[in-house]
Amino acid sequence: MVKEASGPQPKGWHDDPIKAVEQDRFNRAPVAERIAKLIHRNHSVDSSIVYGLEGPWGCGKSSVIALITTFLNRCQESKGEWRIVSFTPWATTGIDGMLSEFFAALSSAVPDASKKKREKLLKLLADYMWIVRSAAPFVPVVGGMVGSAAEIVEDKLQKQKPWKVLFEELSNELRELNSPILVIVDDIDRLQVDELLVLLKLVRLLGRFPGVDFLLAYDEQTLVDVLRSSGREDLSQARARAFMEKIIQYPLTLPPLLVGQIVKLISDGLNEVLLLDKTGKGFESHRIDGIILETMPSQLGTPRALARFFAQLREEFIIHAPGEIDNTDLVLAVFLRVQFPSVFSQLQDWKTKLTATDGSQIVFTSS
C-alpha cells in the first residue's frame, strides 16, 4: 500500500485554517459552496436568520467558514455585496467586553454609504449598545422579545430613547442600506456557561436586526455539556438541544471524512514521510497495512488529528539517525504515543516481553 516516494521535503504544520479553495485537501469546498448558496438564497432585508455549523473539534469548521466567505463574496445578483464580519466572544472579558466586541464587529460591517448616513447609523449603533449594556442584567435568557428590560432602563434614563424605538430606527436604517450582512461567530463552545448565555442573549434577543444573518460554529456535544453545567438540574441533554433550537434556525452538520478518504490521506502522508528516510528501506506492508485500513481511520478521523499525527511523525524521522529505528516500528510507536499515550507509557515496562523470543505474552487486564 505504501510505496517509496521522492520529491521536496514536506512543510511543517501550523494548524491554521485554509484560505483558498486551492488549499482544500478534504473536499470541503462543495459543502462550503452549498452553505454559501443557502445563506445567499435565504437572505432577506426584512428578517434575520441564524445558521449553526456543527462538527467535532478539529474537523475543519474554521476552514469551511473561510471557504463560505469566499463563495459568498462571489454571490452578487440583486442582493448586493455581502458584508462579512467575525465576532470573537471568547477573546473578550466579561459582559461589557463581549457587548463592545459585538457592536464593534457590527459597526465594521456598515458599508461606506454617504458620510451623513454612515454617521447616523453608527450613532444609532452606539446608542443601542449603550442601552443594551444597561439592560443586560434584566434581559431573559429565553422567551419573547425584550419588554420589561426596555421599560426599566427607560425609567432610569429619561433622556435616552427606549430600546424598542432604537431597535426600530436602527432596523430601518439597515433596511435602507440594502446590504446583506453576515456575522460569523466561531468556536462558541470555548465559552464558559455565563459567557455562552450572554452570547445567546445577544443573538436571540438583541442582535437580530433585519438583513443581518449569523453563522455560529461549534461542537454540539461540548455546547450541550456547557449548557448542562449551568447548575440547572432539570436541563437534560434533550432540553439543552431544544434550547439551542430556539436560537438556531438552520443547523448544518459538517460531514465526517469517509474511511476511504482517511486511508488515502494516511497512505499519502506516509509516502511523504519516506522522503525523510535516507535508508530507502520503506515500510513493511504486512505489518502496517492492516493498521492503516482498520485502526488508524477510527483514530485519525479529522483533519487536525491527521495533521497532528504526521507533524510528530515527521519530527521523529528527522531527529533519529537513518537506520537507528525500524521505519515501521517508528510509525507504530508514534501512533501509540499520540492516540494511546497510556499504552505507550507502558512500553518500556513491557520491553522484555515484547522483545522475547521464548513465546512470552503480555496479558491485558481491565484495570
Side-chain angles (χ1 to χ4, degrees), residues 246-292:
K246 295 177 180 292
I247 311 296
I248 295 170
Q249 288 80 59
Y250 278 86
L252 306 166
T253 300
L254 194 59
L257 297 177
L258 300 175
V259 173
Q261 279 182 287
I262 299 172
V263 169
K264 184 179 186 306
L265 290 165
I266 293 171
S267 185
D268 291 346
L270 291 175
N271 287 331
E272 288 183 3
V273 167
L274 281 181
L275 301 174
L276 306 173
D277 177 36
K278 306 302 182 183
T279 66
K281 291 183 178 180
F283 298 112
E284 297 179 61
S285 293
H286 70 281
R287 294 178 56 205
I288 200 171
D289 283 357
I291 294 172
I292 293 174

Side-chain angles (χ1 to χ4, degrees), residues 153-197:
V153 176
E154 184 180 8
D155 290 340
K156 291 185 176 182
L157 310 168
Q158 295 295 328
K159 294 182 180 181
Q160 177 65 54
K161 294 178 181 178
W163 177 85
K164 289 183 179 180
V165 173
L166 275 174
F167 184 89
E168 287 302 322
E169 288 185 9
L170 192 48
S171 296
N172 290 334
E173 289 296 320
L174 289 168
R175 283 192 190 95
E176 289 183 16
L177 285 175
N178 196 27
S179 183
I181 295 174
L182 179 67
V183 180
I184 294 173
V185 194
D186 197 2
D187 292 328
I188 69 172
D189 47 22
R190 290 193 191 187
L191 298 171
Q192 299 298 316
V193 62
D194 292 343
E195 298 168 329
L196 177 60
L197 293 177

